Amino acid sequence: MDLKDIAAAAGLNTPIRHQLFIDGKFVDAADGQTLASLNPHDNTPIAEVAMAGKEDVDRAVRAAEKAFPAWSRMAAMDRGRILLKLADLILENAEELARLETLDTGHPIRDTRMLDVPRTAGCYRYFGGMADKFQGEQIPVEAGFLNYTLREPVGVVGQVVPWNFPLMFTSWKMGPALAAGNCIVLKPAELTPLSTLKIAELMSEAGVPDGVVNILPGLGSVAGQYIAEHERIAKIAFTGSTATGRGIVRASAGNLKKVQLELGGKGANIVFEDADLNAAVEGSLTAIFHNQGQACIAGSRILLHESIAQAFLDRFLPHAESIRLGNPMDPATEMGPLTSTQHKERVLSYVDVAKQQGGEVLLGGKPGEGPLAAGCYVQPTVVRAASSSDRVAQEEVFGPFATVLTFKDDDEALRIANGTEYGLGGGLWTNNLQRAHKFAREMRSGMVWINCYKRVNPGSPFGGVGVSGYGREMGFDAMREYTQVKSVWVNVDAHIPSYYPR
Ligand code: NAD
């Protein structure tokens, strides 16, 4: 089958964009390099995607620098209007975007239709509305002076994103950056560039001027690294693994660029003895298995009070086993493949890691079988760790892989919850108000969910502590990240006595 037929078979009506997007045009890489994008359902090629090199990054930076003066001085309301128009276009193209995202990532189509696409539109809409509401302040300083602050865009910003939620994560990054008046050089993950290139096309249609947004699919070690090092990029916003985040910090030291990092997690999902068990089971399933567990905020450590542990597992395990694994294009599918073969193998390798340290496999631990064997499938997997210090209780697996631990009392629960180097998201299930708020305060994480899990909203700050990174996406915090504050002093009618009277 040729690549056009593959797109048609996936129900796509418009051509798959596969070139770099620089200065408002789709172009090949300067050195002509390409990389095959594969369908994780069966590892067949979807497209040959241009792969940016250093010369392409330089071209994109030049285009962004050229566009910056006009874009940053445009009335904020007009920038906002363009983002609102983009949100409308995303909804008009919802089915096309959902199919493209499913084809490239393996997310079940029911999720890309219900969650990824509407949330992406919602994020651009939120920041479209924000553009003319984010403002400086007037500070009450000493008499005779007016002091106010300006919130200025940073300039050309680099953005590097992972493969687990390409549509949503690029909106979290590009929405606030554009609302604040920055120009962008963004590198999607090499595995999943397709929906981001489609968004570039829609941005032009919405009226984003040429050069304001540049999209460069390419390798992390080449284009990503060069973006992080680039002397004329003023800020880098990165989402990805903690190991790469450390490298980004080092690479950014040359021009001391502003750095924002959204890194890994090992979410603690604590179920107390007084929890509504049905709600906790339901919530815990989504917390770990949604998006095949490929979520930085996944509830990947399930901490159970010893008195309810068996009752919880008696409901949780059969429910997890019944999750419908299959072709992500099928609307009945509840769990699709992981995004690559390499990642599938990495996730499965943790089954042996668990066993070697005395862990017990309670469910799954196997790849997809029968017609799914050729794809990147992993069955829903649950292991009981022998100790909270075991690798499966400490390291991010980033797949449909839950680690179960038990605790005796609140002190032990908190100790285990806070006992990893990560600190992104965590949750708890309890009907005890005092305990709920105590844990919300004491848990070392950027987000805490009480009697729910994994809630996100464009208005609510998102980010971590510890090796989960620093800086926040979403809300007013994201606007602060994408601006720098300038303090302006005006002598209105102050008498300033001479400091060196003569
Ligand atoms: P990764 O770090 O391997 O890659 C992320 C991105 O960085 C990709 O675009 C990649 O090409 C690029 N990259 C790789 N090497 C680079 C380098 N030397 N310089 C610059 N860029 C480079 O991560 P991944 O495996 O793609 O994504 C999974 C990880 O992302 C997990 O650890 C997950 O927790 C994390 N994540 C965090 C959040 C969050 O908001 N905190 C959200 C989603 C995913």
Side-chain angles (χ1 to χ4, degrees):
M1 232 198 303
D2 95 353
L3 297 182
K4 276 203 188 105
D5 297 334
I6 289 172
L12 295 170
N13 296 317
T14 54
I16 293 180
R17 293 287 185 185
H18 56 88
Q19 289 170 295
L20 315 179
F21 184 73
I22 300 177
D23 206 7
K25 286 162 214 70
F26 285 97
V27 293
D28 289 331
D31 60 7
Q33 296 248 46
T34 60
L35 185 72
S37 191
L38 302 181
N39 178 348
H41 167 58
D42 53 11
N43 281 310
T44 51
I46 309 168
E48 274 296 324
V49 181
M51 198 163 57
K54 285 186 171 187
E55 202 180 324
D56 303 300
V57 174
D58 284 333
R59 274 199 288 170
V61 171
R62 279 197 298 276
E65 283 175 333
K66 186 161 62 87
F68 181 69
W71 179 247
S72 56
R73 284 178 206 144
M74 181 187 278
M77 187 189 286
D78 292 335
R79 281 200 303 271
R81 198 174 292 141
I82 291 173
L83 292 179
L84 295 174
K85 170 87 176 145
L86 174 64
D88 289 343
L89 287 172
I90 288 170
L91 294 182
E92 280 167 32
N93 290 272
E95 183 62 15
E96 192 78 358
L97 282 165
R99 284 175 180 272
L100 194 58
E101 189 80 331
T102 292
L103 187 66
D104 206 18
T105 63
H107 295 193
I109 188 82
R110 69 167 199 161
D111 288 352
T112 52
R113 280 178 181 151
M114 247 175 13
L115 296 172
D116 302 51
V117 173
R119 282 185 178 175
T120 300
C123 181
Y124 286 115
R125 193 176 303 290
Y126 175 85
F127 285 107
M130 173 73 93
D132 60 356
K133 289 161 198 78
F134 185 66
Q135 56 203 24
E137 293 170 326
Q138 184 257 312
I139 323 287
V141 293
E142 53 271 35
F145 290 96
L146 167 67
N147 178 232
Y148 63 92
T149 59
L150 296 173
R151 280 275 168 187
E152 297 180 334
V154 179
V156 177
V157 300
Q159 302 183 325
V160 177
V161 291
W163 42 260
N164 56 333
F165 288 101
L167 263 179
M168 271 179 6
F169 284 161
T170 51
S171 72
W172 292 12
K173 291 217 176 334
M174 292 202 280
L178 292 174
N182 299 281
C183 291
I184 295 173
V185 176
L186 181 144
K187 193 195 85 61
E190 42 275 68
L191 293 171
T192 57
L194 301 183
S195 61
T196 312
L197 292 170
K198 180 77 187 169
I199 291 289
E201 179 188 316
L202 298 180
M203 280 186 167
S204 285
E205 205 179 324
V208 175
D210 292 353
V212 168
V213 170
N214 303 276
I215 307 291
L216 302 180
L219 297 179
S221 55
V222 181
Q225 178 77 19
Y226 190 48
I227 289 172
E229 288 167 358
H230 208 287
E231 294 285 331
R232 302 207 312 276
I233 292 181
K235 168 191 164 118
I236 182 154
F238 171 75
T239 298
S241 63
T242 295
T244 309
R246 288 198 173 98
I248 298 262
V249 172
R250 282 190 288 270
S252 67
N255 68 337
L256 290 177
K257 54 173 69 62
K258 208 172 158 161
V259 181
Q260 181 181 351
L261 299 173
E262 306 291 343
L263 308 175
K266 189 73 184 173
N269 176 26
I270 313 170
V271 185
F272 289 97
E273 69 283 5
D274 64 337
D276 172 340
L277 218 50
N278 283 334
V281 166
E282 280 286 335
S284 304
L285 287 162
T286 330
I288 180 60
F289 295 123
H290 172 246
N291 201 34
Q292 297 73 253
Q294 301 168 125
C296 48
I297 53 173
S300 53
R301 288 182 297 155
I302 305 180
L303 276 49
L304 302 173
H305 188 270
E306 59 183 14
S307 67
I308 49 92
Q310 199 52 51
F312 177 95
L313 290 171
D314 286 346
R315 298 183 208 188
F316 183 81
L317 293 174
H319 206 142
E321 193 173 19
S322 73
I323 292 175
R324 282 194 295 276
L325 200 62
N327 186 339
M329 280 295 181
D330 179 346
T333 290
E334 294 172 332
M335 210 167 101
L338 304 192
T339 301
S340 72
T341 299
Q342 194 192 8
H343 187 53
K344 160 182 149 179
E345 278 158 12
R346 182 180 175 274
V347 169
L348 286 170
S349 75
Y350 273 95
V351 176
D352 287 334
V353 169
K355 287 184 194 159
Q356 278 155 15
Q357 293 190 296
E360 183 191 356
V361 179
L362 304 179
L363 182 71
K366 296 187 204 118
E369 288 164 350
L372 304 184
C376 309
Y377 292 88
V378 172
Q379 296 179 19
T381 298
V382 182
V383 302
R384 192 201 303 265
S387 151
S388 61
S389 61
D390 288 358
R391 284 182 59 196
V392 287
Q394 290 288 325
E395 297 174 18
E396 185 183 42
V397 180
F398 215 59
F401 189 109
T403 299
V404 172
L405 294 155
T406 53
F407 60 90
K408 288 190 177 57
D409 55 28
D410 286 17
D411 284 349
E412 191 181 13
L414 190 61
R415 210 168 39 247
I416 298 174
N418 287 346
T420 77
E421 58 179 353
Y422 292 109
L424 191 57
L428 53 134
W429 301 84
T430 180
N431 281 314
N432 179 328
L433 195 63
Q434 206 172 16
R435 170 191 271 161
H437 289 290
K438 177 175 179 328
F439 270 73
R441 186 182 295 187
E442 303 280 329
M443 280 170 80
R444 201 177 66 94
S445 64
M447 291 151 293
V448 175
W449 297 281
I450 298 170
N451 292 333
C452 58
Y453 211 94
K454 254 177 130 184
R455 303 302 307 179
V456 290
N457 181 284
S460 181
F462 184 102
V465 299
V467 305
S468 293
Y470 42 78
R472 292 292 178 270
E473 306 212 90
M474 317 283 227
F476 282 83
D477 286 285
M479 296 298 286
R480 286 184 199 107
E481 300 280 348
Y482 281 101
T483 52
Q484 51 210 3
V485 67
K486 180 185 278 175
S487 174
V488 180
W489 286 83
V490 185
N491 180 346
V492 179
D493 58 1
H495 169 68
I496 309 174
S498 172
Y499 205 59
Y500 305 104
R502 294 290 181 271

